[in-house]
Every structure is written in C-alpha cells, then in structure tokens.
Amino acid sequence: DAKTTQPNSMESNEEEPVHLPCNHSTISGTDYIHWYRQLPSQGPEYVIHGLTSNVNNRMASLAIAEDRKSSTLILHRATLRDAAVYYCILRDRGSTLGRLYFGRGTQLTVWP
Amino acid sequence: NAGVTQTPKFQVLKTGQSMTLQCAQDMNHEYMSWYRQDPGMGLRLIHYSVGAGITDQGEVPNGYNVSRSTTEDFPLRLLSAAPSQTSVYFCASSYGQGGTDTQYFGPGTRLTVL
C-alpha cells in the first residue's frame, strides 16, 4: 500500500469546522483512501473511505483532489469528543492482505 | 452485537511469564488480526487470520503465537514475556480482507512486563 503524509498535530475550537489534510502522491488508481481515528485510550474506529468522488456520512466528509494525490477529512462542527488521532490510510481495492498500515497520524486538539 | 471484545483490559507480568490475551467477535467476521501500539506510535501488525484454522505472521511476530480454532475467537499467546513487549494490544476483525472492508477494533489490553 502506498504511503501517506499527515501533519503531526492540528488544533480547533469547539463547533468550528476542521479540515485534516493528507498527502498521497504515489497513490495508484485502485487505492481507496480510508480514515480511521483513535480516541484516547481506545482502539481505532472507522470514519470514512472513498475512491474518487467526495463522500459524506454522519461522522464526516471526505474531499478528494481531482488528481487524487491529496485528500481532506472534514469535520463540520468539531466537538470535544472529536479530539483524537486521525489516520489516513490507503488500501488497494484488490488487496487480500487485510492489514492496515498505520503511520503516526494527526493529533487533533479541540478547545472549548 | 458486542462487537470485538478483549480481555483482560490491564495486565502486569514478570519477565519470563507466559499469558494469553483473549479476543472475540460476534459479527461472523472471517478476518481477524492482532496489532501492538507503542507510545506515540502507530499500530503494527503481529499476526492475522483469514479464517478458522488459518493464521499467518505480520511484521512483528517474534515472541507471540496465535491459533484460530473458531470463527469467533483469536487468542494471542506471549510465550516468555520480555520488557520489550510492554505495549497496548489491539485485536481487530473485518468481514473480508479487501481494500474496502472496514475493520473493527477492540478496546485494547494494556500490558506491562517488569
């Protein structure tokens, strides 16, 4: 699976939108972009994934650049509960390996 | 559904002791895996299983054994604990192994080896 690059940390105020960037310049045409997050003292949890088009779910939105070399996870209104480490992970559509490659992710701090 | 459960939540061992970390899932998932997470780091894969009776090594398998006798359970055995195995251990499961499969993680077991 190709590598991703994320900022080490970001900060936001409560109820403001948060845009978490991820660069993946070596992405292949069959790589899906996944986001997971890890709340303090918990296991990672799935947030969202997409291939080419922007995606929305109840947790977040995923905006994917036209050339797919970068993407942005958007939290529309940050809450204190969104303080977590966010991981951007690429997975090949045809992958049979099952594993997720976790980098260090982005530590998001949300201020009240 | 309880999802993925892990026991114990906390464990302290002395060097050389052995123990088994338990993991169970009630979602009928074929794929299960064990990761470890050291402070300030991402997760690293220890072992995984693509179905009952089938297991394979991940990137950091030394010092650990696994078996998968049922779809539901995937225990991780530490053969002779070492301080380097002090870490947080997470079990995960998913329906399949494909690039679109969502993985579900347990709450973790925090292990300290003295």
Side-chain angles (χ1 to χ4, degrees), chain A residues 49-89:
Chain A
H49 77 277
L51 184 63
T52 56
S53 303
N54 294 345
V55 184
N56 301 295
N57 65 22
R58 64 175 181 82
M59 291 181 69
S61 296
L62 176 60
I64 302 172
E66 195 168 336
D67 63 5
R68 301 207 328 123
K69 295 184 184 299
S70 66
S71 61
T72 302
L73 180 71
I74 303 167
L75 308 179
H76 295 286
R77 291 184 67 201
T79 68
L80 296 179
R81 193 189 175 278
D82 291 322
V85 178
Y86 286 79
Y87 298 98
C88 172
I89 299 169

Side-chain angles (χ1 to χ4, degrees), chain B residues 14 19 23 32 35-36 45-46 60 84 89 100 110 112:
Chain B
K14 294 181 179 179
M19 78 159 295
C23 174
M32 296 186 73
Y35 291 85
R36 62 176 286 174
L45 184 68
I46 305 172
V60 288
S84 60
Y89 292 83
T100 59
R110 284 149 184 78
T112 301

Side-chain angles (χ1 to χ4, degrees), chain B residues 1-7 22-34 49-52 68 70-75 91-96 103-107:
Chain B
N1 286 354
V4 179
T5 58
Q6 293 183 238
T7 57
Q22 301 292 343
C23 174
Q25 51 89 12
D26 61 358
M27 297 174 281
N28 202 31
H29 285 169
E30 289 296 325
Y31 183 86
M32 296 186 73
S33 55
W34 277 100
S49 169
V50 299
R68 183 99 177 268
T70 67
T71 299
E72 294 78 19
D73 300 298
F74 190 43
C91 179
S93 75
S94 61
Y95 179 74
Q103 294 209 10
Y104 298 84
F105 287 81

Side-chain angles (χ1 to χ4, degrees), chain B residues 54-107:
Chain B
I54 307 169
T55 64
D56 207 345
Q57 297 181 351
E59 64 179 306
V60 288
N62 292 340
Y64 308 95
N65 270 358
V66 292
S67 61
R68 183 99 177 268
S69 57
T70 67
T71 299
E72 294 78 19
D73 300 298
F74 190 43
L76 177 72
R77 281 183 293 276
L78 278 69
L79 308 173
S80 178
S84 60
Q85 294 179 304
T86 293
S87 190
V88 182
Y89 292 83
F90 292 102
C91 179
S93 75
S94 61
Y95 179 74
Q97 311 153 239
T100 59
D101 285 297
T102 297
Q103 294 209 10
Y104 298 84
F105 287 81

